[in-house]
Amino acid sequence: MHIPDFLAWSLTVLFALLAVPSVYRLTQLHGGVDADVRQRDLAELLMVVAMVAMVSPLGGPIPAAGWQAVLALTAGWFAVAAFRGRQCSPVHHTVCAAAMLYMITAMPRHGMEHGPWLTMSEMPGRLAWPVLAVLAVAYFAVDTTRSGLAALREVRGAPVREVLLTRPVHRAAMGAGMAYMLIAGVVPA
């Protein structure tokens, strides 16, 4: 997969900007805020940072194996949260972490000059097991559409600052970005 530099840098900036709402909410927390809210924001922040590392032409400071461990733990954490009936969007976060874990694990590694660093924008070849990518793209297409419609309902008449901090806007943008990365990983350039 080759993502043109302009697009790779644009996606890097977009994903980095998606970290702002989570960081903002985490810094605004008061003592009485529900643990589910903190978990959701931390998960969203982690996913955004991982996507920045994957799409950035520079790669990330954490080797692919490190991201695999972090994302496997995140998927496990939210799978248990779903089993326990928590309200922190555990199924969605489990799917996101699993999809990202898939992308990192399915990346071809042969001939990569960047060593163990994670860089999808210059990845030689396509992701392995493309049927998993297709299933993930279907999930993100439906979720992005649903989140986008929820965002439109929620932000009517709201100031721009509030619009950018809403969860549905963040979720729709992140889902669209993840779908793009999955499609780019399996469709020949």
Side-chain angles (χ1 to χ4, degrees), residues 66-88:
W67 281 113
Q68 287 171 317
V70 168
L71 292 167
L73 288 171
T74 302
W77 176 273
F78 282 102
V80 169
F83 181 72
R84 291 183 172 179
R86 302 291 300 264
Q87 300 300 312
C88 56

Side-chain angles (χ1 to χ4, degrees), residues 90-182:
V91 173
H92 174 71
H93 288 106
T94 302
V95 171
C96 288
M100 293 175 78
L101 178 61
Y102 158 73
M103 281 192 275
I104 294 168
T105 304
M107 284 182 4
R109 305 250 190 276
H110 54 82
M112 295 182 95
E113 298 174 1
H114 58 74
W117 308 116
L118 183 62
T119 306
M120 283 189 78
S121 61
E122 291 295 329
M123 178 180 75
R126 293 187 255 169
L127 295 172
W129 319 298
V131 71
L132 295 176
V134 171
L135 292 172
V137 167
Y139 171 81
F140 288 117
V142 169
D143 188 68
T144 298
T145 302
R146 194 178 54 102
S147 297
L149 292 172
L152 289 174
R153 284 190 300 273
E154 188 173 313
V155 300
R156 279 200 185 124
V160 173
R161 178 177 175 259
E162 289 180 24
V163 169
L164 296 177
L165 294 176
T166 62
R167 284 191 195 282
V169 168
H170 176 273
R171 187 164 166 165
M174 187 67 177
M178 288 181 71
Y180 170 76
M181 291 297 292
L182 287 158

Side-chain angles (χ1 to χ4, degrees), residues 26 52 55 58 85 91 123 128 155 158:
L26 285 168
V52 166
V55 76
L58 299 177
V91 173
M123 178 180 75
V155 300

